[in-house]
Every structure is written in structure tokens, then in C-alpha cells.
Amino acid sequence: MSAPRLLDKFSGPQKARKELLATGGDPTNVILERILSPTEAIIDGRKTLLAGTNNYLGLTLYPECIAAGQKALADFGTGTTGSRMASGSYTLHGALEAELAEFYGLAHGLVFSTGYAANLGTLAALCGAGDNIMLDADAHASLYDGCQLTGAEIFRFRHNDANDLDKRLRRLGERCGRTLVVVEGIYSMLGDRAPLADIVAVKDRHGALLMVDEAHSLGVLGEHGRGQVEADGVLSQADFIVGTFSKSLGATGGFCVSNHAELTLFRYTSRPFIFTAAPCPSVVATTRAALHCLRTRPQLRERLWENARRLYAAIKSIGYTVGPEVSPVVAIRVTAREQALALWHAAMEQGVYTNLVLPPTTPDGGSLLRCSVSAAHSPRQIDRISEVFAGLSGLVHG
Ligand SMILES: Cc1ncc(COP(=O)(O)O)c(C=O)c1O
């Protein structure tokens, strides 16, 4: 037997890829050949209805966002070519940070190059060896990865279960003062929301701090679109709020906002902030324009929720198992992986694109087709998505 070699570990992924291709194409490598609108694209030469983006407010093609990006390209060039610590910040970065802090009514804001980096950077700045992290079991991979980076002791508590969190914090006793609780606003796979009021009460009782990732809830929840922290009336008690520009704001980048002055020191201590290039000027400019749209057009949020209610009710009434509550993320849950693959391919053949999520990415080891709704979907498009899934229900329920 020859000694194991570095590249041997790719035999598993290679086999999995071959199996995926044998099902009629690779659902993890869909090519959008042309974008027709926020809800339609040409895929495989065919006009396809997009029900698998995170373009919740449909802002990716808004003329004012595009114009702001074009102006920044012309004024500042294509890229920053360096990190903010080494190469300096542009006025745009500081302006966006101030606007985000003002939007939340909090004292401080910091922008990161991606939402992923915002999670890694916030966790790495806040926690280190000797600290503790209480992480919701269904948290996003970026939060898990960020926890690994810290060297802190990591405890998982049962998804959305404030009592389980309470029990675990009680066991930590005095160590709670060095503990960060980490949750999301809306969870990305099933679209369910964190019971933030309960979680805040528990973390306050034990003297822990709270970080909330509002990636899927910024612009989606709360009277002003500030997320689940606003919807649950606990904005000022969430110690660190993080989020991304890549979903409702239609750009890329991430942020952290807080009343804790320590956030301003992340610039000196957070490696995922320091050791990466500052976000491109055009991207920051489109994000600022999109944030302005989010703030001034509450009708987008209303339309998003009308569409979410319409799709959730229709998919549920067909008989599919869906997530626990109405949400712009409508998960069609399927037990068998093969059924999920067949359903995904059949929907694509009928011109509807969704996200296929297979184990181990799913919360319960099952598979799911993740539909996401946009304010830009017309009622007719929402009905088309449900018609297609009504026609295909035999693949799951037959
Ligand atoms: C809950 C959550 N947090 C963070 C991220 C990372 O954001 P980004 O893709 O903008 O880096 C995602 C992305 O899917 C997410 O779903």
C-alpha cells in the first residue's frame, strides 16, 4: 500500500460530482447566461424564472443603484487595491459606516468586504482563548467558521430554544461574563425567525453579550426594515448586529453595528477586517444607494411579504412540507436526496430555478428546495412557481 497523498481527499468530491452530473446536470454550478430582470434570466439558453436568489427587494437593477455605481467607477476607479489599514479608506467607506449606524440608531458601524468576513471578523475580534460562544445549532457556516477562528470554547444550543440556552448559560456560571451568544434573525434554510425577545432576556439575566446576524432579515423585517431586532423590539439590547449587502441590498460586503465603543477597535484587532482589500468604491456606492431605497420605499417590503404569503400558502396547500412560518424563504422539505434532485431538475426543465440544498447543509439531515421570494416578483410569477410545483408533487408524494 502506498502512503496517502495530499490530493487523495478529492476522490470523495470527485465521486459526488460524477453522481450529480449523472442526474442530468450539476445543480451546484448553474450558469446564468443573461440577466433579464431581477426575477428572470437565460439559463441553458432558456428564459427561466428565478425563485432562488436572495434579491429580496429586487434592487439589483434599480437605475439609481446602477447610476451610483457607474459614477463611483468613474470617480474612484475599479478597485481599492489594498486593505484599509495599509492603503487607506475612501470617503465612501466612512460615509456608508455612518449611514448604517444612523439607520440603526447606534453609535458605531464598520464595513467588511463580505458578509462572510463580517461574521468572521466580528467573532474573531470579540472572542479568543478562555472565552465562550453559545451558538444556535442551525447557524450559518460563516458563523461556525468564525467560531473556529476564535479559539474560544464553543457550545451549541438547540435551535431557537431560549430555555436550552438558559440551561447552558446557567451551567457556565461565572464564565457567562466571558460569553457571546450568537444567533440569526431569519434562518437561511427554513426561513424561521429567532425568538429574540426571549433570547435577549436570557442573555441579560446571565450577563452574556449577544451577536445577531441579520443577513436575511435586513430590509425584510421590522417597521423600518432594521431586521428581527426591530421586529422584536430589542434593537438596543442586541450588542452586535451584523449583516450583509449581498441580499436585500443587491451588492456585496458586510457590516457590524453596535453601541459598544469597542467596535471602533476592531480596525486594529480583527484579522478578517485588516488582511483583505477594502470593498470596491462602485460596490460601496451601489450599497449606499440601495440602503437609501430600502429606507425610503417601505412598499418594497410590503410587496415582498404579499409575495411571501402567497407562495408559502400555495406550496403548503399542495401538500409539500414547508418551513415553520411564513417567510420570504420558502423551503420545500424532502426526505430523500434523490427525490429532491429529481424535483429540482424537473422544476428547472419547466423554467423555474430554486436552490437545491442537500445534506449536510440542511438543518435536519433531509434535503430541500429553497425558494426565495422577491418584491420584484409579480403575482403572476408567484403563481407560476406554485403551478410548476403543483404539477410536480407526484415526484415527492406519488
Ligand atoms: C446567515 C448568513 N450569514 C452570512 C452570510 C454570508 O454573506 P455573504 O454571502 O454576503 O458573504 C450568508 C450568506 O449566505 C448567510 O446566509
Side-chain angles (χ1 to χ4, degrees):
M1 271 255 292
S2 56
R5 305 189 59 93
L6 193 66
L7 300 184
D8 288 353
K9 62 174 80 64
F10 287 96
S11 59
Q14 179 69 298
K15 184 166 167 278
R17 179 163 180 266
K18 271 199 190 134
E19 281 167 10
L20 273 183
L21 288 172
T23 65
D26 182 354
T28 67
N29 191 22
V30 171
I31 312 289
L32 291 89
E33 292 146 17
R34 206 145 50 84
I35 296 292
L36 305 176
S37 76
T39 57
E40 285 177 324
I42 302 291
I43 298 177
D44 227 356
R46 230 185 359 228
K47 189 162 150 184
T48 303
L49 181 48
L50 301 176
T53 72
N54 298 302
N55 199 356
Y56 295 121
L57 302 182
L59 292 178
T60 47
L61 294 174
Y62 254 47
E64 50 265 66
C65 300
I66 291 173
Q70 285 169 334
K71 182 165 174 4
L73 265 174
D75 290 350
F76 297 96
T78 52
T80 57
T81 73
S83 73
R84 293 174 67 180
M85 186 178 251
S87 306
S89 296
Y90 291 21
T91 44
L92 293 167
H93 296 119
L96 177 55
E97 286 168 348
E99 284 160 8
L100 283 163
E102 196 264 324
F103 171 58
Y104 282 96
L106 297 172
H108 311 286
L110 190 64
V111 164
F112 292 81
S113 299
T114 63
Y116 183 83
N119 278 342
L120 261 59
T122 300
L123 285 161
L126 289 173
C127 301
D131 299 326
N132 315 288
I133 299 176
M134 285 284 172
L135 180 65
D136 184 285
D138 282 7
H140 187 256
S142 56
L143 293 167
Y144 273 91
D145 291 356
C147 286
Q148 291 299 330
L149 205 59
T150 64
E153 192 165 351
I154 300 155
F155 302 86
R156 291 193 322 167
F157 68 93
R158 234 181 285 138
H159 175 54
N160 272 352
D161 189 336
N163 289 330
D164 191 46
L165 174 65
D166 188 33
K167 199 172 68 189
R168 287 168 195 273
L169 284 173
R170 210 175 316 126
R171 272 193 221 136
L172 278 186
E174 277 186 354
R175 291 168 64 194
C176 285
R178 288 185 67 173
T179 299
L180 181 69
V181 177
V182 181
V183 300
E184 293 176 26
I186 287 182
Y187 283 83
S188 55
M189 290 295 119
L190 299 182
D192 50 338
R193 309 181 196 184
L196 278 190
D198 296 344
I199 287 170
V200 162
V202 169
K203 70 98 187 171
D204 278 348
R205 191 155 62 243
H206 293 281
L209 295 187
L210 176 65
M211 167 179 173
V212 183
D213 178 359
E214 297 270 22
H216 293 270
S217 24
L218 166 65
V220 170
L221 290 176
E223 195 188 340
H224 302 91
R226 296 183 190 118
Q228 176 67 351
V229 287
E230 183 182 28
D232 260 10
V234 294
L235 199 159
S236 60
Q237 291 135 283
D239 299 278
F240 295 90
I241 299 169
V242 288
T244 178
F245 306 145
S246 70
K247 305 188 191 303
S248 58
L249 296 175
T252 55
F255 69 91
C256 179
V257 287
S258 177
N259 267 339
H260 291 282
E262 286 77 4
L263 176 59
T264 61
L265 300 174
F266 285 17
R267 291 174 193 278
Y268 309 95
T269 62
S270 173
R271 295 171 67 89
F273 174 83
I274 298 168
F275 293 103
T276 195
C280 290
S282 55
V283 171
V284 177
T286 68
T287 304
R288 291 180 68 197
L291 182 62
H292 181 74
C293 290
L294 182 160
R295 298 183 73 166
T296 52
R297 297 183 192 188
Q299 64 273 24
L300 291 176
R301 204 155 35 258
E302 282 159 27
R303 224 176 294 147
L304 171 70
W305 279 97
E306 276 163 29
N307 285 340
R309 284 189 288 271
R310 196 179 182 99
L311 187 65
Y312 183 88
I315 297 289
K316 193 171 177 183
S317 74
I318 297 165
Y320 287 107
T321 306
V322 290
E325 58 185 304
V326 176
S327 160
V329 176
V330 180
I332 300 179
R333 308 179 74 174
V334 179
T335 319
R337 190 177 186 276
E338 294 68 29
Q339 280 181 336
L341 271 159
L343 190 61
W344 185 86
H345 280 297
M348 276 299 268
E349 269 158 32
Q350 300 206 21
V352 173
Y353 169 73
T354 58
N355 311 123
L356 176 68
V357 191
L358 300 174
T361 311
T362 43
D364 58 358
S367 298
L368 59 90
L369 264 65
R370 177 184 181 276
C371 306
S372 56
V373 166
S374 170
H377 282 122
S378 66
R380 178 74 205 96
Q381 287 178 318
I382 296 291
D383 292 346
R384 175 70 194 144
I385 299 165
S386 14
E387 275 160 28
V388 164
F389 281 106
L392 297 176
S393 78
L395 289 176
V396 174
H397 305 114

